PDB file of all heavy atoms in Angstrom:
ATOM      1  N   PRO A  27      28.356  20.805   3.317  1.00 97.00           N
ATOM      2  CA  PRO A  27      27.139  20.382   4.058  1.00 97.00           C
ATOM      3  C   PRO A  27      27.455  19.703   5.444  1.00 97.00           C
ATOM      4  O   PRO A  27      26.625  19.768   6.324  1.00 97.00           O
ATOM      5  CB  PRO A  27      26.469  19.385   3.139  1.00 97.00           C
ATOM      6  CG  PRO A  27      27.050  19.665   1.772  1.00 97.00           C
ATOM      7  CD  PRO A  27      28.441  20.133   2.024  1.00 97.00           C
ATOM      8  N   LEU A  28      28.624  19.085   5.555  1.00 95.00           N
ATOM      9  CA  LEU A  28      28.920  18.334   6.772  1.00 95.00           C
ATOM     10  C   LEU A  28      29.808  19.108   7.709  1.00 95.00           C
ATOM     11  O   LEU A  28      30.346  18.589   8.707  1.00 95.00           O
ATOM     12  CB  LEU A  28      29.483  16.961   6.435  1.00 95.00           C
ATOM     13  CG  LEU A  28      28.547  16.097   5.542  1.00 95.00           C
ATOM     14  CD1 LEU A  28      29.238  14.762   5.234  1.00 95.00           C
ATOM     15  CD2 LEU A  28      27.201  15.890   6.199  1.00 95.00           C
ATOM     16  N   GLN A  29      29.968  20.395   7.460  1.00 96.00           N
ATOM     17  CA  GLN A  29      30.857  21.243   8.270  1.00 96.00           C
ATOM     18  C   GLN A  29      30.456  21.289   9.753  1.00 96.00           C
ATOM     19  O   GLN A  29      31.305  21.409  10.618  1.00 96.00           O
ATOM     20  CB  GLN A  29      30.809  22.649   7.689  1.00 96.00           C
ATOM     21  CG  GLN A  29      32.035  23.512   8.048  1.00 96.00           C
ATOM     22  CD  GLN A  29      31.874  24.900   7.551  1.00 96.00           C
ATOM     23  OE1 GLN A  29      30.959  25.201   6.783  1.00 96.00           O
ATOM     24  NE2 GLN A  29      32.749  25.812   7.960  1.00 96.00           N
ATOM     25  N   TYR A  30      29.164  21.222   9.998  1.00 97.00           N
ATOM     26  CA  TYR A  30      28.670  21.288  11.401  1.00 97.00           C
ATOM     27  C   TYR A  30      27.960  20.020  11.773  1.00 97.00           C
ATOM     28  O   TYR A  30      26.861  20.033  12.374  1.00 97.00           O
ATOM     29  CB  TYR A  30      27.737  22.507  11.530  1.00 97.00           C
ATOM     30  CG  TYR A  30      28.350  23.817  11.209  1.00 97.00           C
ATOM     31  CD1 TYR A  30      28.233  24.323   9.971  1.00 97.00           C
ATOM     32  CD2 TYR A  30      29.081  24.506  12.149  1.00 97.00           C
ATOM     33  CE1 TYR A  30      28.859  25.568   9.637  1.00 97.00           C
ATOM     34  CE2 TYR A  30      29.694  25.704  11.875  1.00 97.00           C
ATOM     35  CZ  TYR A  30      29.532  26.249  10.612  1.00 97.00           C
ATOM     36  OH  TYR A  30      30.128  27.439  10.309  1.00 97.00           O
ATOM     37  N   ASP A  31      28.520  18.882  11.459  1.00 95.00           N
ATOM     38  CA  ASP A  31      27.799  17.633  11.558  1.00 95.00           C
ATOM     39  C   ASP A  31      27.691  17.098  13.019  1.00 95.00           C
ATOM     40  O   ASP A  31      27.198  15.991  13.239  1.00 95.00           O
ATOM     41  CB  ASP A  31      28.323  16.534  10.609  1.00 95.00           C
ATOM     42  CG  ASP A  31      29.756  16.146  10.932  1.00 95.00           C
ATOM     43  OD1 ASP A  31      30.363  16.736  11.826  1.00 95.00           O
ATOM     44  OD2 ASP A  31      30.250  15.183  10.287  1.00 95.00           O
ATOM     45  N   THR A  32      28.186  17.842  13.972  1.00 96.00           N
ATOM     46  CA  THR A  32      28.021  17.427  15.395  1.00 96.00           C
ATOM     47  C   THR A  32      27.229  18.470  16.140  1.00 96.00           C
ATOM     48  O   THR A  32      26.945  18.255  17.335  1.00 96.00           O
ATOM     49  CB  THR A  32      29.396  17.168  16.072  1.00 96.00           C
ATOM     50  OG1 THR A  32      30.157  18.398  15.995  1.00 96.00           O
ATOM     51  CG2 THR A  32      30.151  16.056  15.409  1.00 96.00           C
ATOM     52  N   ILE A  33      26.845  19.562  15.525  1.00 97.00           N
ATOM     53  CA  ILE A  33      26.192  20.641  16.231  1.00 97.00           C
ATOM     54  C   ILE A  33      24.823  20.167  16.856  1.00 97.00           C
ATOM     55  O   ILE A  33      24.322  20.745  17.823  1.00 97.00           O
ATOM     56  CB  ILE A  33      25.998  21.884  15.307  1.00 97.00           C
ATOM     57  CG1 ILE A  33      25.873  23.138  16.136  1.00 97.00           C
ATOM     58  CG2 ILE A  33      24.847  21.711  14.413  1.00 97.00           C
ATOM     59  CD1 ILE A  33      25.808  24.419  15.271  1.00 97.00           C
ATOM     60  N   GLY A  34      24.237  19.210  16.190  1.00 97.00           N
ATOM     61  CA  GLY A  34      22.939  18.702  16.650  1.00 97.00           C
ATOM     62  C   GLY A  34      22.998  17.415  17.406  1.00 97.00           C
ATOM     63  O   GLY A  34      21.970  16.790  17.649  1.00 97.00           O
TER      64      GLY A  34
END
Side-chain angles (χ1 to χ4, degrees):
Chain A
L28 301 179
Q29 201 184 350
Y30 300 95
D31 66 354
T32 58
I33 203 175

